[in-house]
Amino acid sequence: MHFSKSAAIAIIALSVAVTGCKKQEGATGAKQEGPGKGIVLAEVNGANITDKDFYKEQAALPPQLKPMTETPEGKKEMVDTMVVRELILQQAAKDGIDKSPEVAAKLEDLKKRVIVEAFLKKKIEESAKVSDAEMQDYYNKNKDKFKSDAQVKASHILVKSEAQAKEIEKQLKGGASFEELAKKNSIDGAAPKGGDLGWFSKGSMIPDFEKVAFSLKDGETSGIVKTQFGYHIIKKTGSRPAGVRTLDEVKDEIKAALAPAKQQETFKTLKEDLKKQAKVSIKEDALKELGSDGAKGGAAHPGEAAQPEKAK
């Protein structure tokens, strides 16, 4: 089954962590919006949905869906979805579903998972940090991996019509911020970042776009560039020649390369230490009796023949 991106946002927002919506009441029982509570975006039977709730929900979305919640329509749809979820939660509470044994069991299981995750995150992050010395050593031994062709860094504004591109070009010449215009008008996924495309080499972009990007001077903005995707205005924000990238430029890559092995080793040591400090007994005989499918009741006990099902 396939869902539209809009439907996907709604489904994810309905199913992820519960918002911080709650009634804001003072001594008189009246709703209050105390300092630090955030801007109230919606009220649902006395429960407030704030901007903090919105940003929390937005952060939980998959990266490919986040840009959709940056537009006015997307923000409104996201808040509407949060309203619907709050209504469902309120009705479920009235129906007593929140107190059912099934929900209680799932919440207890979720609580255990969250505690374990938080514990491991804290322990592993503290002990498995990649040191500067380790990064330097890896860099010195793997410089060939960090060779690169000449690269440029650029941002762009992409729109569908030439008329809109001309209007934006006019605003830029009048001193408007390129980044703000990109956030407001660009239909590209880089819009939330002010149109920033990061660093790229020749061959990474479509030819017409790439030719202009590489021909600009650092800090220079192009005229209107037409491609198969629409009308672009490109701003070159940096350039670097071919060669070996510096350690500072590749630190994040090195951390990503070294961290998994360090984390695995840290986890292995943590498991061993916890077991040494505890009294643990694995019942091997009981393990052997476990069936391959628990739903069918497991295997027969040793010495007992499995009974055939009665004919129906």
Side-chain angles (χ1 to χ4, degrees), residues 168-248:
I168 292 171
E169 185 178 38
K170 181 180 177 181
Q171 292 180 50
L172 287 170
K173 289 179 179 178
S177 165
F178 188 98
E179 290 72 22
E180 291 305 315
L181 286 176
K183 289 178 181 178
K184 183 178 179 181
N185 299 282
S186 187
I187 58 175
D188 179 73
K193 299 184 292 182
D196 183 15
L197 296 169
W199 292 96
F200 55 90
S201 307
K202 286 186 176 180
S204 302
M205 302 290 181
I206 53 177
D208 291 339
F209 182 97
E210 184 179 278
K211 182 179 179 181
V212 174
F214 273 85
S215 68
L216 295 170
K217 296 177 181 178
D218 287 2
E220 185 180 4
T221 300
S222 74
I224 298 171
V225 180
K226 184 180 179 181
T227 72
Q228 65 202 67
F229 298 107
Y231 296 85
H232 308 254
I233 297 176
I234 306 166
K235 181 179 180 180
K236 185 175 180 180
T237 55
S239 59
R240 55 191 180 197
V244 179
R245 288 179 287 164
T246 66
L247 175 59
D248 284 340

XYZ file of all heavy atoms in Angstrom, residues 168-248:
609
model
N 12.321 37.379 -8.185
C 13.297 37.090 -7.125
C 14.638 37.739 -7.454
O 15.307 38.299 -6.577
C 13.453 35.561 -6.951
C 12.163 34.978 -6.371
C 14.639 35.233 -6.041
C 12.125 33.465 -6.347
N 15.027 37.679 -8.718
C 16.281 38.306 -9.147
C 16.246 39.805 -8.860
O 17.239 40.395 -8.401
C 16.491 38.054 -10.638
C 17.822 38.560 -11.170
C 17.992 38.252 -12.643
O 16.993 38.350 -13.395
O 19.119 37.919 -13.050
N 15.098 40.411 -9.090
C 14.926 41.843 -8.823
C 15.085 42.138 -7.332
O 15.736 43.115 -6.939
C 13.541 42.286 -9.310
C 13.240 43.758 -9.108
C 11.846 44.093 -9.631
C 11.500 45.556 -9.381
N 10.122 45.871 -9.864
N 14.507 41.281 -6.492
C 14.611 41.465 -5.042
C 16.055 41.302 -4.567
O 16.511 42.025 -3.678
C 13.708 40.459 -4.323
C 12.222 40.708 -4.544
C 11.362 39.681 -3.822
O 11.539 39.428 -2.633
N 10.425 39.074 -4.541
N 16.773 40.362 -5.163
C 18.176 40.159 -4.797
C 19.014 41.386 -5.146
O 19.866 41.815 -4.363
C 18.737 38.923 -5.509
C 18.252 37.565 -4.996
C 18.684 36.456 -5.946
C 18.790 37.298 -3.592
N 18.761 41.951 -6.306
C 19.494 43.144 -6.720
C 19.163 44.327 -5.819
O 19.958 45.261 -5.683
C 19.170 43.479 -8.175
C 19.781 42.491 -9.168
C 19.421 42.841 -10.609
C 20.073 41.854 -11.578
N 19.718 42.134 -12.996
N 17.987 44.256 -5.186
C 17.584 45.313 -4.266
C 18.120 45.117 -2.857
O 17.814 45.906 -1.960
N 18.881 44.041 -2.660
C 19.509 43.822 -1.357
C 18.852 42.780 -0.479
O 19.240 42.603 0.682
N 17.859 42.071 -1.008
C 17.184 41.042 -0.209
C 18.128 39.879 0.093
O 19.081 39.625 -0.649
C 15.949 40.534 -0.949
N 17.866 39.179 1.188
C 18.695 38.045 1.600
C 18.444 36.838 0.701
O 17.297 36.407 0.531
C 18.389 37.672 3.051
O 18.902 36.398 3.375
N 19.518 36.288 0.136
C 19.404 35.107 -0.720
C 18.822 33.940 0.075
O 17.921 33.236 -0.391
C 20.787 34.730 -1.268
C 20.759 33.641 -2.313
C 20.805 33.953 -3.659
C 20.685 32.303 -1.949
C 20.772 32.960 -4.634
C 20.647 31.301 -2.900
C 20.694 31.632 -4.253
N 19.340 33.744 1.286
C 18.914 32.614 2.111
C 17.429 32.699 2.457
O 16.706 31.698 2.403
C 19.749 32.557 3.397
C 21.200 32.159 3.195
C 22.043 33.249 2.520
O 21.639 34.440 2.581
O 23.075 32.910 1.924
N 16.966 33.892 2.808
C 15.558 34.051 3.174
C 14.642 33.858 1.973
O 13.565 33.265 2.086
C 15.325 35.428 3.805
C 15.952 35.594 5.180
C 15.506 34.519 6.155
O 14.295 34.228 6.201
O 16.364 33.963 6.863
N 15.069 34.349 0.815
C 14.260 34.162 -0.391
C 14.201 32.686 -0.781
O 13.177 32.205 -1.270
C 14.837 34.989 -1.542
C 14.605 36.503 -1.455
C 15.317 37.216 -2.599
C 13.113 36.829 -1.481
N 15.305 31.970 -0.550
C 15.324 30.534 -0.845
C 14.352 29.792 0.068
O 13.583 28.936 -0.378
C 16.738 29.984 -0.678
N 14.383 30.122 1.350
C 13.480 29.471 2.302
C 12.015 29.727 1.946
O 11.168 28.854 2.096
C 13.759 29.979 3.720
C 15.074 29.499 4.309
C 15.287 30.084 5.700
C 16.615 29.636 6.299
N 16.844 30.234 7.640
N 11.746 30.918 1.471
C 10.365 31.324 1.210
C 9.848 30.833 -0.137
O 8.666 30.490 -0.269
C 10.270 32.852 1.269
C 8.864 33.396 1.086
C 8.854 34.915 1.201
C 7.448 35.479 0.995
N 7.436 36.966 1.072
N 10.725 30.772 -1.144
C 10.246 30.530 -2.505
C 10.707 29.238 -3.171
O 10.020 28.717 -4.052
C 10.679 31.695 -3.413
C 10.109 33.024 -2.978
O 8.948 33.319 -3.224
N 10.927 33.843 -2.328
N 11.870 28.730 -2.786
C 12.436 27.599 -3.519
C 11.609 26.332 -3.345
O 11.125 26.033 -2.249
C 13.874 27.340 -3.064
O 14.476 26.350 -3.876
N 11.460 25.581 -4.423
C 10.697 24.326 -4.375
C 11.629 23.126 -4.228
O 11.204 21.977 -4.325
C 9.826 24.162 -5.638
C 10.693 24.191 -6.906
C 8.757 25.232 -5.693
C 9.922 23.908 -8.192
N 12.896 23.393 -3.988
C 13.892 22.337 -3.829
C 13.977 21.898 -2.371
O 13.648 22.661 -1.456
C 15.256 22.866 -4.296
C 16.351 21.842 -4.150
O 16.367 20.888 -4.930
O 17.187 21.990 -3.237
N 14.449 20.677 -2.137
C 14.559 20.151 -0.776
C 15.550 20.897 0.093
O 15.529 20.769 1.319
N 16.437 21.692 -0.529
C 17.423 22.453 0.242
C 16.856 23.780 0.745
O 17.561 24.527 1.429
C 18.665 22.719 -0.615
N 15.616 24.076 0.424
C 15.007 25.358 0.811
C 15.108 25.656 2.309
O 15.464 26.773 2.691
C 13.551 25.404 0.355
N 14.807 24.681 3.200
C 14.892 24.976 4.639
C 16.285 25.401 5.097
O 16.435 26.049 6.123
C 14.482 23.649 5.294
C 13.637 22.973 4.272
C 14.264 23.335 2.961
N 17.315 25.040 4.314
C 18.693 25.408 4.655
C 19.141 26.645 3.877
O 20.334 26.878 3.709
C 19.637 24.241 4.358
C 19.341 22.981 5.152
C 20.362 21.895 4.882
C 20.253 21.383 3.462
N 21.223 20.284 3.194
N 18.193 27.415 3.403
C 18.545 28.612 2.648
C 19.056 28.298 1.260
O 19.747 29.106 0.646
N 18.720 27.098 0.762
C 19.141 26.698 -0.574
C 20.525 26.077 -0.634
O 21.023 25.755 -1.719
N 21.161 25.876 0.526
C 22.539 25.370 0.570
C 22.626 23.938 0.047
O 21.992 23.033 0.579
C 23.053 25.434 2.009
C 24.508 24.998 2.130
O 25.198 24.927 1.090
O 24.954 24.733 3.262
N 23.448 23.731 -0.975
C 23.639 22.412 -1.577
C 24.914 21.732 -1.092
O 25.192 20.595 -1.458
C 23.689 22.538 -3.107
C 22.402 23.040 -3.773
C 22.670 23.370 -5.231
C 21.297 22.010 -3.650
N 25.698 22.440 -0.290
C 26.949 21.872 0.196
C 28.018 21.849 -0.887
O 27.914 22.522 -1.913
N 29.057 21.043 -0.659
C 30.171 20.932 -1.603
C 29.875 19.869 -2.655
O 29.292 18.835 -2.355
C 31.447 20.551 -0.862
C 31.967 21.612 0.056
C 31.744 21.710 1.399
C 32.787 22.727 -0.294
N 32.372 22.819 1.913
C 33.030 23.462 0.894
C 33.348 23.179 -1.488
C 33.797 24.619 0.919
C 34.117 24.333 -1.468
C 34.339 25.044 -0.281
N 30.300 20.120 -3.890
C 30.145 19.109 -4.934
C 31.217 19.279 -6.006
O 31.749 20.370 -6.228
C 28.749 19.163 -5.564
C 28.336 20.505 -6.106
C 28.603 20.866 -7.422
C 27.661 21.406 -5.294
C 28.209 22.096 -7.923
C 27.257 22.647 -5.788
C 27.536 22.994 -7.104
N 31.551 18.157 -6.648
C 32.557 18.134 -7.711
C 31.863 18.133 -9.067
O 30.643 17.963 -9.155
C 33.430 16.880 -7.588
O 33.978 16.759 -6.301
N 32.639 18.272 -10.114
C 32.082 18.202 -11.460
C 31.544 16.797 -11.702
O 32.159 15.815 -11.311
C 33.145 18.555 -12.499
C 33.471 20.043 -12.537
C 34.425 20.379 -13.674
C 34.659 21.883 -13.738
N 35.591 22.258 -14.833
N 30.390 16.743 -12.336
C 29.753 15.459 -12.583
C 28.677 15.133 -11.574
O 27.937 14.166 -11.735
N 28.567 15.961 -10.521
C 27.574 15.705 -9.470
C 26.221 16.324 -9.786
O 25.193 15.854 -9.305
C 28.069 16.253 -8.128
O 29.301 15.686 -7.770
N 26.228 17.396 -10.563
C 25.001 18.121 -10.885
C 24.717 18.022 -12.385
O 25.582 17.624 -13.170
C 25.128 19.597 -10.476
C 25.424 19.805 -9.004
S 23.996 19.364 -7.984
C 24.624 19.748 -6.346
N 23.518 18.423 -12.787
C 23.202 18.431 -14.211
C 24.091 19.470 -14.904
O 24.437 20.500 -14.313
C 21.708 18.726 -14.453
C 21.272 20.005 -13.734
C 20.851 17.558 -14.027
C 19.832 20.378 -13.999
N 24.503 19.214 -16.149
C 25.509 20.044 -16.836
C 25.231 21.547 -16.846
O 26.132 22.347 -16.565
C 25.511 19.468 -18.254
C 25.120 18.044 -18.064
C 24.093 18.061 -16.969
N 24.013 21.960 -17.187
C 23.715 23.394 -17.289
C 23.894 24.099 -15.951
O 24.392 25.229 -15.887
C 22.283 23.605 -17.800
C 22.127 23.199 -19.257
O 23.158 23.135 -19.958
O 20.991 22.933 -19.685
N 23.478 23.437 -14.883
C 23.615 24.008 -13.538
C 25.088 24.050 -13.136
O 25.596 25.061 -12.653
C 22.821 23.160 -12.543
C 22.837 23.682 -11.130
C 21.790 24.452 -10.653
C 23.896 23.405 -10.269
C 21.794 24.935 -9.347
C 23.918 23.886 -8.972
C 22.861 24.657 -8.511
N 25.758 22.940 -13.344
C 27.158 22.795 -12.935
C 28.076 23.789 -13.642
O 28.976 24.380 -13.029
C 27.596 21.368 -13.241
C 28.984 21.010 -12.797
C 29.277 19.566 -13.137
O 28.863 18.682 -12.364
O 29.909 19.331 -14.187
N 27.846 23.989 -14.929
C 28.681 24.903 -15.713
C 28.656 26.304 -15.125
O 29.692 26.959 -14.981
C 28.196 24.927 -17.164
C 29.022 25.812 -18.081
C 28.480 25.748 -19.507
C 29.292 26.663 -20.429
N 28.763 26.633 -21.823
N 27.476 26.767 -14.754
C 27.341 28.107 -14.183
C 27.955 28.162 -12.786
O 28.677 29.100 -12.449
C 25.857 28.527 -14.132
C 25.703 29.865 -13.412
C 25.283 28.609 -15.534
N 27.682 27.152 -11.973
C 28.183 27.142 -10.592
C 29.706 27.230 -10.555
O 30.282 27.959 -9.740
C 27.702 25.888 -9.875
N 30.370 26.488 -11.438
C 31.836 26.490 -11.445
C 32.417 27.760 -12.070
O 33.573 28.104 -11.818
C 32.364 25.253 -12.178
C 32.511 24.048 -11.297
C 31.427 23.214 -11.056
C 33.711 23.754 -10.680
C 31.543 22.103 -10.232
C 33.846 22.648 -9.849
C 32.760 21.818 -9.622
N 31.629 28.457 -12.874
C 32.141 29.663 -13.537
C 32.049 30.910 -12.655
O 32.721 31.908 -12.917
C 31.368 29.910 -14.838
O 30.016 30.278 -14.561
N 31.236 30.857 -11.614
C 31.057 32.017 -10.737
C 32.268 32.229 -9.835
O 33.027 31.301 -9.545
C 29.815 31.823 -9.858
C 28.454 31.775 -10.555
C 27.376 31.341 -9.559
C 28.106 33.132 -11.151
N 32.428 33.456 -9.367
C 33.435 33.757 -8.357
C 32.813 33.518 -6.984
O 31.592 33.551 -6.834
C 33.884 35.219 -8.473
C 34.579 35.561 -9.790
C 34.929 37.037 -9.840
C 35.593 37.401 -11.171
N 35.896 38.856 -11.254
N 33.639 33.284 -5.979
C 33.117 33.085 -4.629
C 32.292 34.299 -4.213
O 32.738 35.451 -4.336
C 34.260 32.886 -3.631
C 34.924 31.528 -3.783
O 34.514 30.771 -4.678
O 35.866 31.232 -3.017
N 31.074 34.038 -3.734
C 30.195 35.114 -3.302
C 29.346 35.700 -4.408
O 28.452 36.510 -4.147
N 29.584 35.295 -5.644
C 28.848 35.847 -6.788
C 27.534 35.097 -7.002
O 27.437 33.893 -6.766
C 29.706 35.749 -8.045
C 29.088 36.415 -9.275
C 29.972 36.303 -10.509
O 31.031 35.635 -10.436
O 29.594 36.874 -11.551
N 26.521 35.834 -7.463
C 25.207 35.256 -7.749
C 24.954 35.275 -9.252
O 25.243 36.272 -9.921
C 24.093 36.042 -7.029
O 24.325 35.997 -5.619
C 22.723 35.439 -7.315
N 24.420 34.200 -9.767
C 24.191 34.076 -11.211
C 22.920 34.792 -11.641
O 22.131 35.258 -10.813
C 24.064 32.599 -11.589
O 22.802 32.088 -11.158
N 22.727 34.803 -12.944
C 21.443 35.214 -13.484
C 20.508 34.020 -13.425
O 20.762 33.062 -12.685
N 19.465 34.035 -14.212
C 18.502 32.933 -14.217
C 19.035 31.798 -15.095
O 19.454 32.020 -16.228
C 17.137 33.411 -14.733
C 16.582 34.484 -13.788
C 16.162 32.246 -14.840
C 15.350 35.188 -14.314
N 19.034 30.591 -14.548
C 19.531 29.411 -15.258
C 18.371 28.425 -15.424
O 17.798 27.960 -14.440
C 20.677 28.730 -14.481
C 21.179 27.508 -15.243
C 21.809 29.713 -14.220
N 18.051 28.099 -16.672
C 16.950 27.174 -16.928
C 17.479 25.751 -17.065
O 18.460 25.499 -17.768
C 16.207 27.564 -18.207
C 14.987 26.681 -18.481
C 14.273 27.091 -19.759
C 13.068 26.187 -20.023
N 12.363 26.539 -21.275
N 16.835 24.817 -16.369
C 17.160 23.396 -16.501
C 15.854 22.618 -16.601
O 14.768 23.203 -16.574
C 17.958 22.867 -15.288
O 17.080 22.779 -14.150
C 19.144 23.756 -14.969
N 15.966 21.314 -16.665
C 14.776 20.467 -16.746
C 13.910 20.555 -15.501
O 12.737 20.167 -15.508
C 15.205 19.012 -16.957
C 15.971 18.415 -15.779
C 16.817 17.229 -16.169
O 17.785 17.354 -16.906
N 16.443 16.051 -15.681
N 14.487 21.075 -14.399
C 13.748 21.146 -13.138
C 13.021 22.475 -12.941
O 12.162 22.587 -12.078
C 14.694 20.913 -11.961
C 15.340 19.561 -11.983
C 16.679 19.431 -12.320
C 14.612 18.419 -11.701
C 17.284 18.180 -12.361
C 15.203 17.162 -11.740
C 16.542 17.040 -12.077
N 13.400 23.480 -13.718
C 12.777 24.787 -13.568
C 13.786 25.896 -13.773
O 14.723 25.770 -14.577
N 13.613 26.979 -13.011
C 14.472 28.155 -13.159
C 15.263 28.371 -11.864
O 14.684 28.506 -10.786
C 13.625 29.379 -13.490
C 12.917 29.253 -14.828
C 11.693 28.593 -14.916
C 13.491 29.753 -15.989
C 11.045 28.446 -16.145
C 12.855 29.616 -17.225
C 11.635 28.953 -17.292
O 11.018 28.804 -18.508
N 16.588 28.385 -12.001
C 17.477 28.504 -10.848
C 18.137 29.877 -10.804
O 18.406 30.485 -11.842
C 18.629 27.487 -10.921
C 18.217 26.080 -11.143
N 18.242 25.125 -10.146
C 17.787 25.437 -12.264
C 17.861 23.956 -10.647
N 17.571 24.122 -11.930
N 18.424 30.310 -9.581
C 19.362 31.404 -9.357
C 20.401 30.826 -8.399
O 20.057 30.305 -7.332
C 18.686 32.641 -8.740
C 17.631 33.187 -9.711
C 19.726 33.715 -8.431
C 16.831 34.356 -9.163
N 21.664 30.875 -8.808
C 22.727 30.181 -8.082
C 23.661 31.179 -7.401
O 24.042 32.192 -7.999
C 23.551 29.301 -9.047
C 22.628 28.364 -9.832
C 24.613 28.506 -8.293
C 23.298 27.709 -11.029
N 24.022 30.862 -6.177
C 25.008 31.671 -5.456
C 26.171 30.774 -5.053
O 25.984 29.773 -4.358
C 24.391 32.299 -4.203
C 25.368 33.184 -3.421
C 24.690 33.808 -2.209
C 25.664 34.692 -1.430
N 25.021 35.303 -0.237
N 27.371 31.125 -5.531
C 28.561 30.350 -5.172
C 29.085 30.859 -3.837
O 29.394 32.036 -3.686
C 29.631 30.502 -6.250
C 30.865 29.629 -6.040
C 31.802 29.761 -7.230
C 33.043 28.921 -7.078
N 33.946 29.063 -8.252
N 29.189 29.969 -2.866
C 29.586 30.383 -1.519
C 30.975 29.907 -1.116
O 31.450 30.225 -0.030
C 28.564 29.874 -0.487
O 28.424 28.451 -0.627
C 27.208 30.527 -0.699
N 31.632 29.134 -1.987
C 32.980 28.685 -1.652
C 33.577 27.835 -2.754
O 32.870 27.353 -3.643
N 34.885 27.666 -2.711
C 35.566 26.801 -3.680
C 36.843 26.268 -3.052
O 37.425 26.907 -2.172
C 35.896 27.581 -4.960
O 36.723 28.695 -4.670
N 37.251 25.094 -3.497
C 38.514 24.538 -3.026
C 39.135 23.714 -4.151
O 38.431 23.012 -4.888
C 38.330 23.703 -1.768
C 37.327 22.581 -1.834
C 37.065 22.033 -0.432
N 36.103 20.937 -0.428
C 35.465 20.512 0.671
N 35.691 21.104 1.831
N 34.619 19.509 0.608
N 40.454 23.808 -4.288
C 41.136 23.115 -5.386
C 41.220 21.615 -5.141
O 40.961 21.130 -4.036
C 42.526 23.753 -5.369
C 42.736 24.127 -3.932
C 41.383 24.573 -3.450
N 41.608 20.897 -6.182
C 41.808 19.454 -6.040
C 42.957 19.199 -5.073
O 43.889 19.992 -4.963
C 42.118 18.843 -7.404
N 42.882 18.107 -4.357
C 43.936 17.771 -3.402
C 43.385 16.932 -2.269
O 42.290 16.377 -2.359
N 44.147 16.852 -1.195
C 43.727 16.089 -0.021
C 43.034 17.040 0.947
O 43.592 18.069 1.325
C 44.938 15.423 0.672
C 44.481 14.662 1.913
C 45.651 14.492 -0.288
N 41.829 16.697 1.317
C 41.104 17.538 2.268
C 41.788 17.521 3.629
O 42.400 16.524 4.013
C 39.659 17.057 2.397
C 38.806 17.359 1.177
C 37.396 16.848 1.356
N 37.337 15.392 1.258
C 36.304 14.669 1.667
N 35.262 15.253 2.232
N 36.321 13.364 1.532
N 41.676 18.610 4.350
C 42.333 18.717 5.652
C 41.604 17.866 6.693
O 40.444 17.473 6.500
C 42.359 20.175 6.138
O 41.005 20.602 6.389
C 42.992 21.084 5.098
N 42.282 17.625 7.796
C 41.683 16.844 8.879
C 40.402 17.496 9.380
O 39.406 16.817 9.636
C 42.686 16.690 10.028
C 42.170 15.988 11.289
C 41.694 14.584 10.973
C 43.264 15.945 12.356
N 40.417 18.820 9.524
C 39.221 19.517 10.004
C 38.031 19.294 9.076
O 36.882 19.215 9.530
C 39.496 21.020 10.130
C 40.324 21.351 11.363
O 40.357 20.508 12.283
O 40.937 22.432 11.403
